[in-house]
């Protein structure tokens, strides 16, 4: 995990909550990202963009910022997240007056100290698209896993990755989400109930389903028991943890949910 100046996650969440309250958002269906953008001070335009997935131009004195999204961004949840991410830059006054141009890598920045302004924009987008109270209403009597994450993604029209992170943040079970790409564990986010440090920067352990995908091209997508020390530094080789992984061949990546509960 990269160290450095800490991103202001609380401030990013607060700004998103202020917008949710102002717009009186009470249901997932109320989260129309284009209408939210207009109220927040931006006009959304599709197309006319190369070399990035989204760009924000906010000239001093202008009534509205121009928020442009690449025309072929898909799926729909990814486009919504890109817009919400750029709104985060706008509302958090990142690089005020200068153009902000973001790539897929920026939307994957979830580490403290990695790219702090991108982390803050992602936190803002997550809070805006998946308000805490509305998400918690979907979590009663559910077990951890990608099934509930998919239901959240469908209900809130968000990406599977953003939904997995939001689920882990708000669930009442000891869970973590891990993202691996090109045979390397890139980042993880865990809730306070989850104990242990997940190794980042190297390849997934051969004792994980995530590793199976990178070595064989296929991996089990069931929630299954694996050795805890395959993921957690310092864990006993006799203890276990539950893993469920989903491969995304287009990006040569794997999204993993880890559950340390019964």
């Amino acid at each position: 995990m990269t160290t450095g100046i800490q991103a202001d996650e609380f401030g990013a969440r607060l700004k998103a909550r202020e917008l949710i309250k102002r717009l009186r958002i009470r249901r997932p269906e109320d989260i129309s990202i284009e209408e939210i953008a207009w109220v927040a001070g931006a006009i959304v335009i599709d197309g006319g963009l190369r070399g990035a997935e989204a760009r924000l131009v906010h000239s001093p004195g202008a009534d509205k910022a121009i928020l442009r999204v690449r025309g072929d961004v898909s799926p729909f949840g990814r486009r919504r997240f890109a817009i919400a991410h750029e709104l985060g830059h706008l509302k958090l006054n990142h690089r005020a007056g200068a153009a902000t141009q973001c790539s897929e890598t920026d939307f994957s920045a979830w580490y403290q100290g990695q790219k702090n302004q991108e982390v803050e924009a992602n936190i803002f987008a997550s809070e805006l698209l998946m308000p805490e109270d509305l998400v918690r209403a979907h979590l009663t009597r559910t077990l951890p896993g990608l099934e509930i994450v998919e239901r959240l993604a469908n209900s809130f029209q968000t990406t599977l990755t953003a939904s997995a992170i939001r689920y882990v943040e708000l669930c009442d079970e000891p869970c973590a989400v891990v993202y691996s790409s090109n045979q390397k564990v890139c980042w993880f986010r865990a809730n306070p109930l989850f104990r242990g440090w997940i190794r980042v920067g190297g390849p997934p352990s051969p004792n994980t389903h995530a590793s199976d995908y990178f070595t064989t091209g296929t991996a089990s997508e069931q929630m299954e028991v694996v050795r805890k020390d395959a993921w957690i530094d310092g864990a006993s080789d006799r203890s276990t943890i539950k893993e469920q992984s989903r491969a995304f061949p287009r990006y040569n990546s794997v999204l993993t949910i880890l559950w340390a509960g019964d």
Side-chain angles (χ1 to χ4, degrees), residues 17-73:
R17 289 168 184 168
E18 289 173 354
L19 198 50
I20 291 165
K21 183 177 180 180
R22 178 183 174 188
L23 294 169
R24 299 180 181 179
I25 291 172
R26 298 186 177 91
R27 305 173 302 163
E29 305 90 89
D30 297 335
I31 308 172
S32 170
I33 194 60
E34 284 86 356
E35 292 179 10
I36 292 173
W38 178 265
V39 172
I43 300 172
V44 178
I45 300 174
D46 286 295
L49 186 62
R50 293 182 180 180
E53 296 213 347
R55 182 176 65 199
L56 178 74
V57 179
H58 187 205
S59 302
D63 290 337
K64 297 287 184 182
I66 303 299
L67 199 165
R68 192 176 292 277
V69 185
R70 206 179 71 207
D72 61 348
V73 171

Side-chain angles (χ1 to χ4, degrees), residues 18-226:
E18 289 173 354
L19 198 50
I20 291 165
K21 183 177 180 180
R22 178 183 174 188
L23 294 169
R24 299 180 181 179
I25 291 172
R26 298 186 177 91
R27 305 173 302 163
E29 305 90 89
D30 297 335
I31 308 172
S32 170
I33 194 60
E34 284 86 356
E35 292 179 10
I36 292 173
W38 178 265
V39 172
I43 300 172
V44 178
I45 300 174
D46 286 295
L49 186 62
R50 293 182 180 180
E53 296 213 347
R55 182 176 65 199
L56 178 74
V57 179
H58 187 205
S59 302
D63 290 337
K64 297 287 184 182
I66 303 299
L67 199 165
R68 192 176 292 277
V69 185
R70 206 179 71 207
D72 61 348
V73 171
S74 65
F76 187 58
R78 188 172 170 189
R79 175 184 177 275
R80 281 166 55 82
F81 192 86
I83 294 170
H85 177 99
E86 297 306 317
L87 288 180
H89 285 311
L90 177 64
K91 300 306 290 183
L92 296 169
N93 294 316
H94 291 165
R95 299 186 289 278
T100 300
Q101 188 160 291
C102 296
S103 66
E104 178 189 337
T105 302
D106 297 317
F107 301 145
S108 299
W110 292 96
Y111 264 171
Q112 288 279 15
Q114 184 184 26
K115 292 182 176 180
N116 286 326
Q117 290 191 346
E118 304 305 335
V119 172
E120 290 172 5
N122 281 338
I123 296 296
F124 176 95
S126 175
E127 190 76 35
L128 182 65
L129 295 175
M130 292 172 279
E132 180 174 343
D133 291 345
L134 300 188
V135 173
R136 286 194 183 278
H138 284 68
L139 302 187
T140 56
R141 298 180 182 178
T142 61
L143 291 175
L146 289 170
E147 292 77 13
I148 178 60
V149 170
E150 286 180 327
R151 291 200 292 272
L152 288 176
N154 289 333
S155 295
F156 290 89
Q157 297 183 333
T158 50
T159 64
L160 200 65
T161 300
S163 301
I165 291 168
R166 197 63 170 140
Y167 172 75
V168 164
E169 291 172 346
L170 299 177
C171 75
D172 294 326
E173 293 286 338
C175 290
V177 56
V178 187
Y179 182 80
S180 307
S181 183
N182 296 317
Q183 302 189 50
K184 182 178 75 173
V185 178
C186 299
W187 54 258
F188 77 92
R189 285 183 75 89
N191 63 28
L193 299 173
F194 188 91
R195 302 200 175 176
W197 188 261
I198 297 172
R199 291 183 288 271
V200 172
S205 165
N207 296 313
T208 67
H209 295 300
S211 177
D212 290 344
Y213 167 71
F214 292 119
T215 55
T216 69
T218 60
S220 170
E221 292 193 358
Q222 303 300 311
M223 181 69 79
E224 296 184 9
V225 173
V226 297

